[in-house]
Amino acid sequence: YCQPQLRVADGAVVGGEILLRLISEGKVIPPTQFIPLLESLYAMPQVDLHVFGKVCACLKRWRDEGRPLVPMAVNFSRTTLAFPEVADRLEEIRQKFDIPAELLQVEITETASTEDYRTFQKVVDSIRAKGFRVAIDDFGVAYANLMTLARLGFDELKLDKSLIDCIGDRKGEIMLRQVVRLCYELGLYTTAEGVEAEDQVDFLRALECTDIQGYYFYEPMSAEKFGELLKTQKNDKQA
């Protein structure tokens, strides 16, 4: 599945985040239930690389169909990122489909980035050296040292829904405002996740948060529907 990412300033679709869902007997099983199992079986590297390849294939198909392309973000498990050659594997897949590296973003959870600083320093450096963008996902869930943001060289910080839900609370808003200001000072893009209400959109727009995603605009959708959304956006621009 893919959830559109919109530019706060004008609502244009500027990216998408790939989300895994397991469907069994017509029921959608959330990743919190099946990802830990895959990790325990050491299956996540194969899953992550498979998903990355599927994303590249979608981008190639959309390009061949003449649709405008936007960067696509793929979440990577800590077990996948533990392999030193992960950047080389990503580059091999990218070259196979001839997709510009800047259209592919690797997302690393805040929890993973705090577990082994030195390891992730090398991982982030090697991935960015290939031209891929790297984002820290779910920021606000764990206890990331602020120096992590500066030292690891991320391109984007994705604000967890727990921070967005603080909007409406004075202290929470102060904290969110300072985090976004810090990101601007560090040259990081900011994306607010889990946005579900109009007052949240208004606050983030006034805050000049870079991008936004959440059910207020779009629920996660199939790749086919996301491709149609890109086509519609192209038609709107032509009109």
Side-chain angles (χ1 to χ4, degrees):
Y1 282 71
C2 182
Q3 188 169 36
Q5 184 173 313
L6 294 82
R7 186 164 53 221
V8 176
D10 57 10
V13 176
V14 294
E17 178 182 1
I18 301 302
L19 304 170
L20 291 185
R21 297 292 184 269
L22 177 62
I23 302 177
S24 177
E25 299 180 350
K27 296 182 180 180
V28 178
I29 301 175
T32 52
Q33 294 185 23
F34 66 85
I35 293 295
L37 175 61
L38 291 173
E39 288 182 332
S40 69
L41 297 173
Y42 300 98
M44 281 310 299
Q46 294 92 328
V47 172
D48 286 342
L49 293 176
H50 173 74
V51 171
F52 189 79
K54 296 286 284 186
V55 171
C56 289
C58 280
L59 287 170
K60 182 180 184 301
R61 183 173 72 251
W62 294 335
R63 181 182 61 194
D64 294 343
E65 293 171 350
R67 304 188 188 197
L69 301 182
V70 295
M72 304 296 287
V74 182
N75 291 280
F76 279 78
S77 165
R78 61 172 65 85
T79 56
T80 304
L81 297 170
F83 288 96
E85 67 275 13
V86 62
D88 293 331
R89 292 296 305 278
L90 297 181
E91 178 63 8
E92 291 174 5
I93 297 172
R94 183 200 71 78
Q95 290 185 6
K96 176 182 176 181
F97 294 96
D98 190 28
I99 301 299
E102 59 267 22
L103 289 177
L104 298 162
Q105 178 165 289
V106 173
E107 294 196 351
I108 302 173
T109 64
E110 179 190 16
T111 303
S113 68
T114 60
E115 290 182 346
D116 187 339
Y117 170 78
R118 292 186 177 181
T119 296
F120 278 90
Q121 175 75 71
K122 295 179 180 178
V123 170
V124 172
D125 288 347
S126 62
I127 293 175
R128 295 186 78 235
K130 300 293 185 182
F132 301 111
R133 291 173 53 82
V134 180
I136 180 170
D137 195 21
D138 300 331
F139 185 84
V141 174
Y143 303 95
N145 188 316
L146 291 179
M147 288 305 298
T148 300
L149 301 181
R151 290 176 177 174
L152 286 182
F154 291 104
D155 299 290
E156 181 177 333
L157 183 146
K158 304 194 76 173
L159 302 165
D160 186 71
K161 184 180 184 301
S162 60
L163 287 179
I164 306 307
D165 289 341
C166 288
I167 295 175
D169 173 76
R170 187 181 69 85
K171 291 184 177 179
E173 290 182 352
I174 291 174
M175 178 177 62
L176 185 57
R177 185 179 294 110
Q178 295 305 317
V179 170
V180 173
R181 180 177 299 176
L182 175 63
C183 288
Y184 273 113
E185 292 291 332
L186 294 174
L188 298 174
Y189 283 88
T190 52
T191 297
E193 298 182 290
V195 178
E196 299 179 352
E198 185 175 2
D199 64 315
Q200 294 175 338
V201 176
D202 293 340
F203 183 84
L204 292 166
R205 183 178 292 116
L207 205 58
E208 296 185 349
C209 180
T210 314
D211 300 324
I212 192 172
Q213 71 181 74
Y215 279 42
Y216 182 81
F217 293 101
Y218 295 102
E219 295 184 12
M221 60 184 67
S222 67
E224 289 73 18
K225 289 184 178 180
F226 186 81
E228 288 299 317
L229 179 62
L230 294 179
K231 183 179 179 180
T232 300
Q233 180 164 272
K234 178 182 179 180
N235 292 337
D236 289 343
K237 289 181 178 180
Q238 290 176 340

